[in-house]
Amino acid sequence: AYKLKRQVEYFLDATYDARTLSQRDRDYYSGYQWTENEINVLAKRRQIPITVNRIKPKIEGLKGLLNNRKTDIKAFPRNKGDEDTAHVVTDALRYIEDNNDYDSIHADVFEDVIVEGYGACIVDVEKDARGDNNITISRIPWDRFYFDPHSIRKDFADARYMGQILWLDDDQVIEIFGKNVDIDALVSHGDMSQGYNDTFEDKPRYWSDESSGRTRYRIAQHFYIDQGVWYVAYFSGLTFLEKPQKSPYLDEFGQTSCPIVGVSAYIDRDNQRYGEVRAFIDLQ
C-alpha cells in the first residue's frame, strides 16, 4: 500500500507547478483574473475590477468548431465480403455512443484538454437490471485524474500508472466495498505530499475529512503495471479496500490493459502539460 500511495504523492510533487498554472488558466477562462491584492487596491480607489475576458470567446470558438465537425461513428470493411460485419460493428458502436451520451462526454473532456491541458475518461463494463453487460464511458474530472509524471506521450500510452480520486461518504464505502471494510482504518495518514495544492480538493488535503459535518474518504482507484501486467487496487492512505488484482480489462491481444484513456494538448520541455489558454495569458 505504501508503494501505491507514494505513486499518487509523487504525481502531486512532480506536477505541482503545472497544476497550479492550469488552475490559473481555468480561473482566467472563467473571468477570475484579478488577484486579491489588486482588488483591494481598486477598492481603496473606489473602483470596481472590470474584466474584458478575451480568453473565453476563443475557447468557446474552439468548442463550437469541435461541435460543427463531429461525425457519426462508422466502421469500414477491411476486406471484400466484410460489409455486413462492418454494418454490425457500426450499429454496436453507435448504440454505445448513444447509451453513454458520448457527445457530452467528448465535449467535457475536450474542454479539460484545451483549458487545463489534459483530460481523461474510463471505459468500463457494468451489468444492467437484466444482468446484461453494458460498456460505459465516464469522464474523469481533470482535478480527479492522476498519472505517471514520467510519461512523455500525449496519450499517456507509456504511463506506468494512472488513476482517479473518488470522494465517498462512509455509507458509500460500505455500499461499494462491502460491510467487511474497516472504516476505522480509513483515517488520515498525514498530508498528501509536500507538493500538494488544492487540485484534488473537495477539498481537504488529507485522506479523510470531517470538516463538513460528515465523514468522507479519499479513495484512489489505482491502475499500475508490474512486470508487464496491469493491476488495479482501491486504497485510502495505507489501507486497501480492495487488494491489488490483475486488471479485468484485456486488449485485442488478450493482454491486461488500463481502462483509463487520457489525452493532452501540449507538453513542454520540462514534461509539464498545458492547454490552449496558456498562450493567451500574457495577452490578456
Side-chain angles (χ1 to χ4, degrees), residues 236-260:
S236 179
L238 295 175
T239 302
F240 281 121
L241 288 94
E242 286 188 5
K243 291 186 177 181
Q245 57 182 324
K246 287 185 178 180
S247 172
Y249 305 96
L250 306 179
D251 61 19
E252 63 269 31
F253 305 108
Q255 303 298 314
T256 56
S257 65
C258 176
I260 295 177

Side-chain angles (χ1 to χ4, degrees), residues 29 163 170 212:
Y29 165 78
D170 48 6
S212 61

Side-chain angles (χ1 to χ4, degrees), residues 109-119 153-156 262-268 272-278:
V109 173
F110 178 74
E111 182 177 319
D112 288 340
V113 172
I114 59 178
V115 176
E116 280 88 3
Y118 55 86
R153 292 185 51 170
K154 290 184 177 180
D155 61 357
F156 302 96
V263 64
S264 306
Y266 306 106
I267 305 177
D268 66 20
Q272 303 290 2
R273 299 167 194 263
Y274 63 98
E276 195 72 31
V277 171
R278 192 68 52 85

Side-chain angles (χ1 to χ4, degrees), residues 134-197:
N134 284 312
I135 295 176
T136 62
I137 305 172
S138 303
R139 167 183 170 257
I140 301 176
W142 170 83
D143 57 358
R144 303 301 170 87
F145 173 51
Y146 64 87
F147 53 86
D148 179 2
H150 291 301
S151 170
I152 61 174
R153 292 185 51 170
K154 290 184 177 180
D155 61 357
F156 302 96
D158 57 342
R160 299 286 297 176
Y161 63 88
M162 288 192 287
Q164 66 171 321
I165 294 297
L166 310 171
W167 274 101
L168 302 175
D169 289 344
D170 48 6
D171 60 324
Q172 290 178 297
V173 174
I174 295 175
E175 179 183 348
I176 295 173
F177 297 101
K179 296 181 179 179
N180 294 327
V181 172
D182 186 2
I183 291 292
D184 294 334
L186 303 183
V187 296
S188 170
H189 291 277
D191 291 357
M192 287 285 287
S193 70
Q194 292 181 348
Y196 179 87
N197 65 11

Side-chain angles (χ1 to χ4, degrees), residues 7 18 34 99 124 126 146 199-200 227 238 249-250 257 277:
Q7 287 181 337
W34 296 88
N99 197 43
D124 206 344
E126 297 180 356
Y146 64 87
T199 304
F200 281 171
Q227 298 183 0
L238 295 175
Y249 305 96
L250 306 179
S257 65
V277 171

Side-chain angles (χ1 to χ4, degrees), residues 36-95:
E36 184 175 351
N37 288 336
E38 291 169 343
I39 293 175
N40 290 335
V41 170
L42 290 176
K44 292 178 181 179
R45 298 174 182 172
R46 297 185 179 181
Q47 294 176 306
I48 60 174
I50 298 175
T51 302
V52 181
N53 193 342
R54 303 296 189 184
I55 292 177
K56 188 168 186 177
K58 293 180 181 294
I59 299 305
E60 293 301 306
L62 291 175
K63 291 164 62 177
L65 188 63
L66 173 74
N67 185 64
N68 290 337
R69 290 187 174 182
K70 67 182 180 182
T71 58
D72 291 330
I73 293 177
K74 184 176 182 179
F76 293 90
R78 173 172 292 182
N79 304 305
K80 290 184 178 180
D82 290 340
E83 287 80 5
D84 290 341
T85 301
H87 288 313
V88 172
V89 173
T90 297
D91 289 342
L93 291 174
R94 289 183 178 177
Y95 171 79

